[in-house]
Amino acid sequence: MLIYCRPGRFPQERIASILANYSLLFAVLAPLSTVVHVLMPLQMSERIVYALCILVTCILLCASVICAGICTCLVLTRFPERTGRLYAADLAGAALGCYIFVLTLGPLDGVSETVLVGAIGCLAAWFFAAKGSPPSKWGASGAVALSALAILNSYCVGSLNSGLRINYMHGAYAGIPMLERWSPIGRITVSKDSDQLLAYKTLGYSQVGPTALVRGLNIDIDGSARTVMLEYGGKPDDVRFLQYDLVYFAHHLRKNADVLVIGSGGGKDVVAALAFDQAKVKGVELNPNTLNIVNKTYADFTGHLNEIKNVSFVNDEGRHFVSTSNDKYDIILMSLIDTWAATSSGAFILSENCLYTVEAWTDFLKHLKPKGIYTVSRWYRGDPPAEMLRTVSLAGAALKALHVEKPERHIILVKNGHGPIATGTLLVSPDEFSDDDVKHVKELCEKMK
């Protein structure tokens, strides 16, 4: 609209220098908007300051996008005889940008990545400007300087716990984590609640469960979703308390089982299988950074889980792994792995969300051994409890897709907790649950309250 309404501001005879200048302006504003944002005190307790900070961030972000938009619009409209080639270059550049993002986010952290975006803007200015002109010189030197700055800042963030980084999340100061890792899948940080032993407590933990003092490290995904690494010394007797957690209810019904964990995260679900003395357990995890943190960086803390003879890990998306495998399991477990943080931003739409479909659940049920159980834990909240209603309906639809005539005899739902938030665990089997299974479930529920 700016170019259409003010064509006199973009004369054809100066189009090369205009393109170069706006590219340079974009190269400055793109990283500047992020740098200013991470330096701002984004604390909800200071409402006026918080609102002003968000306003400044939005203005800087919009300004950088407008500069890029002006460049794209001018190139595609002022050279009509080359429109085909220019549009092809535009699409090729977008594809290359995606590839560069996947390639560099990991070696670089998120803040440094935006500095690299600025370096690419400088390269554009260098190409647009006449050789030897000031924009050309600024573009070349700016690309080198910003690339070096991106590498330096990423080194400081990853190795020295310094540099420009995300400091505020959800309207509060987040502090410096013990470890921070980035990938195209998400940002992961490791932190601890305390140096002291803390009582193990989850919403699914039985009120009659033994008091267990444990150490844990939190793996936070995109600042919101959390998975826990429990300290494990290699002795299943030390983690028997996990038998009182509702998430692992299926283990009571199938002993000496071959277990598959979808979304192994911090490894707690794998440790739980060991607490039940199951025959084999395999964890499937989408994020390679999570696997490296659990099995390498903090392996001494987690008990070198990947070196235990009946334990293995796979770096893959859960549904893809199951659908391309011929293996079958006694228990397939999927506990609270969906991250609302990523879902709200549009991420993970090709990974986690596809786990909650009829087709995915049909795949999982097909990969169970006779009398096998597919167990899913979700939040039991709301009136009606929408998440659990959806999981039950998914289970029914998947069973009908397998030509099960009476799905209600193949589904058991167990709940723990009261009030606005509780936990529900769904047990689904392609075979009917026996009367002994139902009796055992009722006895366990009574015993564990």
Side-chain angles (χ1 to χ4, degrees), residues 23-301:
S23 295
L24 282 175
L25 192 56
F26 166 77
V28 172
L29 291 174
L32 180 64
S33 60
T34 302
V35 170
V36 170
H37 182 70
V38 298
L39 291 176
M40 285 179 174
L42 294 167
Q43 300 187 80
M44 284 293 288
S45 57
E46 303 290 338
R47 293 299 180 92
I48 296 178
V49 175
Y50 184 85
L52 288 174
C53 289
I54 294 297
L55 179 62
V56 171
T57 295
C58 289
I59 290 173
L60 287 172
L61 282 171
C62 288
S64 66
V65 174
I66 288 171
C67 291
I70 287 174
C71 290
T72 305
C73 184
L74 287 175
V75 167
L76 293 177
T77 58
R78 295 303 177 87
F79 304 94
E81 72 283 358
R82 303 182 192 174
T83 299
R85 280 181 290 170
L86 291 171
Y87 194 58
D90 180 34
L91 294 177
L96 181 61
C98 293
Y99 180 74
I100 293 173
F101 171 75
V102 170
L103 195 66
T104 57
L105 188 60
L108 298 180
D109 65 285
V111 175
S112 301
E113 187 80 5
T114 63
V115 179
L116 183 64
V117 169
I120 294 174
C122 287
L123 279 178
W126 180 66
F127 277 107
F128 282 134
K131 188 175 182 180
S133 65
S136 175
K137 294 177 181 177
W138 278 107
S141 56
V144 174
L146 288 176
S147 297
L149 181 60
I151 295 171
L152 177 62
N153 185 69
S154 191
Y155 172 78
C156 292
V157 169
S159 303
L160 306 176
N161 267 337
S162 60
L164 293 168
R165 67 193 312 152
I166 295 175
N167 293 311
Y168 294 88
M169 288 183 292
H170 310 292
Y173 180 68
I176 297 177
M178 297 168 61
L179 183 74
E180 180 177 344
R181 292 287 184 269
W182 288 78
S183 77
I185 295 173
R187 172 181 179 259
I188 288 178
T189 57
V190 177
S191 60
K192 55 186 174 182
D193 290 326
S194 171
D195 289 322
Q196 306 298 318
L197 288 167
L198 298 176
Y200 178 83
K201 199 71 176 175
T202 67
L203 285 173
Y205 197 63
S206 168
Q207 58 182 298
V208 298
T211 300
L213 298 178
V214 297
R215 285 190 175 89
L217 295 176
N218 302 318
I219 299 179
D220 290 311
I221 307 164
D222 294 332
S224 289
R226 175 167 290 181
T227 179
V228 177
M229 293 186 290
L230 288 182
E231 186 177 32
Y232 180 60
K235 298 179 180 179
D237 286 341
D238 294 339
V239 289
R240 300 291 187 201
F241 61 88
L242 292 173
Q243 296 181 0
Y244 288 82
D245 197 323
L246 178 68
V247 171
Y248 310 120
F249 200 89
H251 292 294
H252 290 283
L253 303 182
R254 301 293 181 262
K255 301 296 185 180
N256 197 35
D258 192 352
V259 181
L260 178 69
V261 175
I262 305 292
S264 58
K268 184 162 74 78
D269 294 346
V270 174
V271 173
L274 298 176
F276 283 88
D277 298 318
Q278 300 292 27
K280 289 173 61 179
V281 56
K282 179 178 292 182
V284 181
E285 173 56 43
L286 177 69
N287 196 328
N289 281 340
T290 303
L291 284 178
N292 286 331
I293 287 171
V294 172
N295 293 323
K296 293 182 180 179
T297 310
Y298 290 97
D300 290 340
F301 185 85

Side-chain angles (χ1 to χ4, degrees), residues 338-356:
D338 191 32
T339 55
W340 60 88
T343 302
S344 65
S345 67
F348 289 169
I349 58 172
L350 296 179
S351 56
E352 287 189 341
N353 283 356
C354 81
L355 293 174
Y356 298 95

